[in-house]
Amino acid sequence: MSSYHQKEPSLDISVVVPVYNERDNVGPLADDIVREVGKLNRPFEVILVNDGSKDGSTSALDGVASSHPQVKVIHFAENRGQTIAIAAGMYYSVGRVIVLMDGDRQNDPSDIGLLVARLEEGFECVSGWRKNRQDAGIRKLPSRVANWLVNRITGVPVHDLGCTLKAYTRNALDPTELFGEMHRFLAVMVQERGGRIDELVVKHHPRTAGDSKYGMGRIPRVVADMLLMRTLYKYRTRPSHMAAQIAQWLFVFALVFAFMCFVSAVRSGMLGFFVVWFLAAIILTVGSVVVLTTGLVCELVIRNRYALSGRHPWIIERMTGD
């Protein structure tokens, strides 16, 4: 059993917020969270995880911790990414319910009480849905593509998997299992562990300070993590079967490609080029399978290394407000 699950919760609610270069947002955000969660009249904490910020967020976060006794700050020694920041915040939390939200002030803390109330109706995860999302089209596109892909593959009944604002029961997830860009697949992980999931429309505000960290470049990473999720939950005891299926389809496509080249070569009287294209198709197919399976194996090896050693993929420089 993970040491995370061995800890007894001592508060009702933990709000975990990953922060990366949000100097102008962390102060107002912390004020809003403390005010809104305080209205629930339940013991709570706010954990802000500084993911190696370089814009002055560090001093701003220390100021927030000194102003609010409910706020704790975890400072990473270097940037490790949103998923690892979330994992660390969850790991050091002591709440029976854990609420995650972004540090850019686009999520609204007034929705926390609604998410918690719905969660306590018998769910393990309640996911926020930014139905009226206040982002530019270029940022919405990769999110829509990712949601479509994940929904098609997993069947998780959630419209907006990319929305960080979600509430979880403490045992719904094990943060020591979070790596890569897994934060967008947390609802999938809850479902795979047998948890019940619900969805709630939440408010979403335009960004008023700081810069977005999202873009089209994240799509390949989403696809890679999606394949990893498939491996972990469907093929965890037989990963070679997944590789065989991928290799099978790649080989079929290679044969189709080679046949088309052959037909074209016969019609044009250039059979010599057919041999070249056929060999290229075979080489590319074999190379694709090798690269894919190597990446998945490396990921699994790294995960097992951390699991067996009891170490974590984050390096904490210091904590404040604890």
Side-chain angles (χ1 to χ4, degrees), residues 34-53:
V34 170
R35 182 182 65 251
E36 293 297 333
V37 182
K39 294 177 181 178
L40 304 178
N41 294 318
R42 301 171 66 171
F44 72 95
E45 66 178 351
V46 181
I47 301 179
L48 305 175
V49 184
N50 180 13
D51 186 23
S53 298

Side-chain angles (χ1 to χ4, degrees), residues 153 182 223-251 285 288-300:
I153 291 175
M182 290 296 182
V223 173
D225 279 328
M226 202 177 332
L227 289 173
L228 179 61
M229 288 288 294
R230 194 74 167 172
T231 303
L232 290 173
Y233 289 103
K234 186 173 182 179
Y235 298 100
R236 69 170 65 201
T237 59
R238 48 193 174 93
S240 61
H241 289 197
M242 188 190 74
Q245 286 189 354
I246 295 173
Q248 166 190 307
W249 284 107
L250 288 173
F251 185 69
T285 301
S288 297
V289 174
V290 170
V291 170
L292 177 65
T293 53
T294 300
L296 290 175
V297 168
C298 289
E299 180 81 22
L300 293 172

Side-chain angles (χ1 to χ4, degrees), residues 146-193:
N147 281 318
W148 182 82
L149 286 171
V150 176
N151 285 330
R152 291 277 293 181
I153 291 175
T154 66
V156 174
V158 171
H159 289 87
D160 190 5
L161 284 163
C163 180
T164 304
L165 184 57
K166 293 180 175 68
Y168 305 85
T169 58
R170 184 168 189 81
N171 293 325
L173 290 169
D174 186 344
T176 63
E177 297 179 354
L178 304 184
F179 293 84
E181 300 266 337
M182 290 296 182
H183 61 275
R184 59 183 93 247
F185 298 107
L186 297 187
V188 178
M189 297 176 74
V190 172
Q191 177 172 276
E192 293 291 344
R193 291 167 65 97

Side-chain angles (χ1 to χ4, degrees), residues 247-317:
Q248 166 190 307
W249 284 107
L250 288 173
F251 185 69
V252 168
F253 288 134
L255 289 179
V256 171
F257 179 67
F259 177 74
M260 293 173 63
C261 290
F262 175 74
V263 172
S264 177
V266 170
R267 287 179 176 176
S268 63
M270 301 172 66
L271 275 174
F273 283 102
F274 161 71
V275 176
V276 175
W277 283 107
F278 180 78
L279 289 175
I282 297 299
I283 291 170
L284 289 173
T285 301
V286 173
S288 297
V289 174
V290 170
V291 170
L292 177 65
T293 53
T294 300
L296 290 175
V297 168
C298 289
E299 180 81 22
L300 293 172
V301 168
I302 290 173
R303 286 169 173 263
N304 285 333
R305 171 176 173 265
Y306 280 112
L308 293 173
S309 66
R311 298 172 58 193
H312 306 297
W314 57 77
I315 301 175
I316 294 176
E317 185 175 85

